Amino acid sequence: MIIKKADIYATAVAPSQYPETGLPEIAFAGRSNVGKSSLINSLVNRKSLARTSQTPGKTRVINFFGVNDEIYLVDLPGYGYAKVSKDEKAKWGGMIEAYLNTREELKLVVLLVDIRHEPTKDDKLMFDWMKATGSQMLVVATKADKLTRNHRNKSLVQIRKFLQMTNDDILIHFSSQTKEGRDELWEIIENYSGK
Ligand SMILES: Nc1nc2c(ncn2[C@@H]2O[C@H](COP(=O)(O)OP(=O)(O)OP(=O)(O)O)[C@@H](O)[C@H]2O)c(=O)[nH]1
Ligand SMILES: [Mg+2]
């Protein structure tokens, strides 16, 4: 995808605030701090379109980023961040669920997991839930630059095993620092969005 234009199009905390575009959307889900916002910035070649932070819990709303007036990349709040209150967790959970459950424009969910760690229980829940709902989904292992090639491959095998992925399930690695995986991810996104 040649990025001609990328900007924030809408911000929402409830379905009534979702934009009426009718254009395909790709959503990015994963635990807090896994690198969702950084990955979106890499995809659109911008340093800080989506706000990132070393402190987990940065993205607390649903952000819709428009690319070339063709497609929307949707940054979801992270889950599993221990330091937020129970109420807030429930609120974010509800926000994520409402979006994933109801959004007709949604063509593909990209589930991010950290390549350095075993997926969390929340990751597994999310993966199983999306499988059960029949969502089109792909798993991306983030922060690949933090591991050597050898470790990386071992890690990918572990992630597949832990999430009980089948041969048909796609898992790719990605680094927002080196941009490794970017072209492959765009290719998949374009396929699913019919672009
Ligand atoms: N080395 C390295 N660091 C990364 C990479 N991706 C993200 N980070 C760092 O990880 C931290 C969290 O990144 P974010 O993109 O804000 O994570 P997020 O998933 O959007 O987090 P929430 O908004 O809290 O859900 C930041 O300090 C990033 O610089 C990567 O590919 N490599
Ligand atoms: Mg974020």
Side-chain angles (χ1 to χ4, degrees), residues 32-33 35-38 53-54 57-59 143 145-146 176:
S32 231
N33 210 237
K36 298 175 293 299
S37 300
S38 303
S53 167
Q54 288 176 12
K58 185 70 191 173
T59 310
K143 310 194 184 184
D145 55 281
K146 298 224 185 203
S176 298

Side-chain angles (χ1 to χ4, degrees), residues 22-104:
L23 292 171
E25 289 175 8
I26 310 294
F28 298 85
R31 71 173 178 75
S32 231
N33 210 237
V34 71
K36 298 175 293 299
S37 300
S38 303
L39 179 143
I40 290 176
N41 287 332
S42 309
L43 284 177
V44 299
N45 296 328
R46 293 271 292 272
K47 273 216 171 70
S48 49
L49 181 64
R51 289 177 66 195
T52 64
S53 167
Q54 288 176 12
T55 315
K58 185 70 191 173
T59 310
R60 297 174 175 225
V61 294
I62 300 178
N63 286 315
F64 296 78
F65 298 102
V67 183
N68 299 349
D69 300 319
E70 275 184 273
I71 182 174
Y72 288 86
L73 305 180
V74 181
D75 194 6
L76 296 170
Y79 52 74
Y81 176 41
K83 281 191 187 153
V84 300
S85 69
K86 239 185 176 172
D87 278 1
E88 196 139 13
K89 266 188 201 162
K91 204 171 81 189
W92 294 2
M95 230 191 274
I96 297 166
E97 213 176 301
Y99 174 82
L100 295 176
N101 266 335
T102 65
R103 192 61 169 164
E104 281 191 10

